[in-house]
Amino acid sequence: MASPYPQGDREKVASKLPPSLRQELKIRAAEYSLDIQDAVTTAITTWRETPGGAPADTTGAESFSTWLPAGLYDDFKETCTGRGISYVQGLAQAVRRWLDANPSPADRPAGGIPERKIICNQKGGVGKTAIAAGTAQAYAEAGKRVLLVDYDPQGHLSDQLGIDQIEPGHDSLVSHMCGESDQDLRDLLVTVDDERYGKRLDILPSCFDGFLLDAKVAIKAAQARGYQKESALERALAPVEGDYDVVVIDCPPSLGIAMDAALHYGRRRQGEPAMKSGVIIPVLAEDSSATAYGMLAGQIQDLCLDLDLEIDYLGLVVNLYDSRRGVIATSSLKQWRELGEPPVLAVIGDLKEQREAVRKQMPLLSYAPRSEQADLMRQIAGTPREKGGRA
């Protein structure tokens, strides 16, 4: 069916696509910076001009709608009728052929430098874990290969996703940071098994040994000539970096050596564009959060001066915001916004979906993909929002 498009020469058309094909289309269009309607227009036009091709699997096809140039859908239906196939089969063939002709950039050879997002604040309870997990999910949903590192020995991220923490004495991120492992770090990774992320989201679980990380790294630096404690995290992750487009680090609430290593990892590397890697700082709309932010900013400044680094502030995320808490909340939010630099990337309310997802040990974007909270995670990551409303 079709209904007139009120703002130009397009019309809204409705058909069906299998969920997996629709998700792949969404991701690929985002990878090529295309609107889905433009990708589908090209797909249908090309399919009509080039007969032949294998039938597409339309099992479980669900409602799908988009905007097409006026008249194209009628021409498409005539072509389907002429070829003796259903409209659903024709659309699936067109989309499948377009996807095959436009492979994912993520399939390129490994070896590049990934973007590195350091989610940090020395104050606990500001939502670092939720924001790290949500933005990592948004990147993976949009087609990027993502490594999400549970760098906090408390292991909230691992627990929330139902992933076991690594027991003391076993190979872990800590043993790799201290140069005490000859094993492959990839053996520790857990891939999130969800069609939404297409096996592009890996988790490096937390380890209980992380509580001793500062001491172990300090001892290693004292004993081993040439061992720079600030580069410990980078040395550990270097062997797997080429496998990913984005690495997200969920940091502990600390200002110690572990935090220095995370900040060093997120520095702007030689030849890397500004604002690709750096720190994302979750804060609350309250006075104590401003104090904690000042302490973290001081640590970043000292590290940059001591080691001649550039660390980009990618932005702030004001989390758990509720205007009903009165003038302290509203005035604090105003002050965060008036900073200007770093910018406020998102203001996230005290919403229920994240808590419910944690209870079910599910990723937020899997549990409530159309929720306001999920869309705000996509906003932080700069990836396309879910179409079709909120659930």
Side-chain angles (χ1 to χ4, degrees), residues 149-309:
V149 179
D150 190 351
Y151 193 48
D152 186 345
Q154 297 176 90
H156 294 315
L157 190 152
S158 300
D159 290 343
Q160 290 177 11
L161 294 177
I163 298 171
D164 292 335
Q165 295 187 59
I166 298 173
E167 297 287 341
H170 290 72
D171 191 44
S172 67
L173 176 60
V174 170
S175 60
H176 284 262
M177 289 179 66
C178 295
E180 298 172 351
S181 176
D182 58 2
Q183 301 183 48
D184 192 333
L185 190 68
R186 294 177 181 85
D187 294 338
L188 303 178
L189 304 181
V190 177
T191 301
V192 176
D193 186 15
D194 188 308
E195 186 179 82
R196 176 172 291 271
Y197 314 115
K199 299 189 182 300
R200 292 181 298 273
L201 179 57
D202 290 340
I203 313 296
L204 179 54
S206 174
C207 53
F208 291 107
D209 286 348
F211 287 108
L212 305 175
L213 178 61
D214 280 12
K216 291 172 73 72
V217 170
I219 292 171
K220 181 71 174 182
Q223 293 176 341
R225 180 179 298 177
Y227 178 92
Q228 184 187 28
K229 60 183 184 295
E230 291 86 0
S231 61
L233 181 59
E234 184 169 342
R235 283 194 301 271
L237 296 180
V240 302
E241 274 195 349
D243 298 342
Y244 299 100
D245 302 300
V246 183
V247 178
V248 179
I249 310 292
D250 178 26
C251 291
S254 166
L255 293 178
I257 293 174
M259 191 67 241
D260 277 346
L263 293 172
H264 183 274
Y265 183 65
R267 76 194 185 283
R268 191 191 310 171
R269 297 184 185 176
Q270 185 175 4
E272 184 177 21
M275 304 304 289
K276 288 294 186 182
S277 298
V279 296
I280 295 175
I281 305 174
V283 297
L284 302 180
E286 60 180 36
D287 295 342
S288 62
S289 204
T291 301
Y293 170 77
M295 295 172 66
L296 176 61
Q299 181 175 7
I300 293 173
Q301 182 179 26
D302 289 345
L303 191 68
C304 288
L305 290 174
D306 290 345
L307 300 180
D308 192 22
L309 307 179

Side-chain angles (χ1 to χ4, degrees), residues 118 120-124 126 128 254-255 259 263 279-302 311-318 332 335-344:
I118 313 302
C120 57
N121 190 330
Q122 67 92 22
K123 179 178 172 59
V126 297
K128 291 185 294 293
S254 166
L255 293 178
M259 191 67 241
L263 293 172
V279 296
I280 295 175
I281 305 174
V283 297
L284 302 180
E286 60 180 36
D287 295 342
S288 62
S289 204
T291 301
Y293 170 77
M295 295 172 66
L296 176 61
Q299 181 175 7
I300 293 173
Q301 182 179 26
D302 289 345
I311 298 175
D312 290 325
Y313 286 79
L314 302 181
L316 306 173
V317 177
V318 182
S332 294
Q335 289 172 349
W336 288 125
R337 284 178 163 155
E338 287 178 346
L339 279 179
E341 293 294 336
V344 173

Side-chain angles (χ1 to χ4, degrees), residues 344-365:
V344 173
L345 301 176
V347 178
I348 303 177
D350 189 2
L351 304 173
K352 66 177 182 176
E353 286 82 9
Q354 176 65 32
R355 293 191 293 272
E356 292 172 350
V358 168
R359 174 66 65 87
K360 292 180 176 293
Q361 294 189 318
M362 290 178 63
L364 170 66
L365 271 66

Side-chain angles (χ1 to χ4, degrees), residues 323 325-332:
S323 61
R325 291 175 180 153
V327 67
I328 292 178
T330 56
S331 62
S332 294

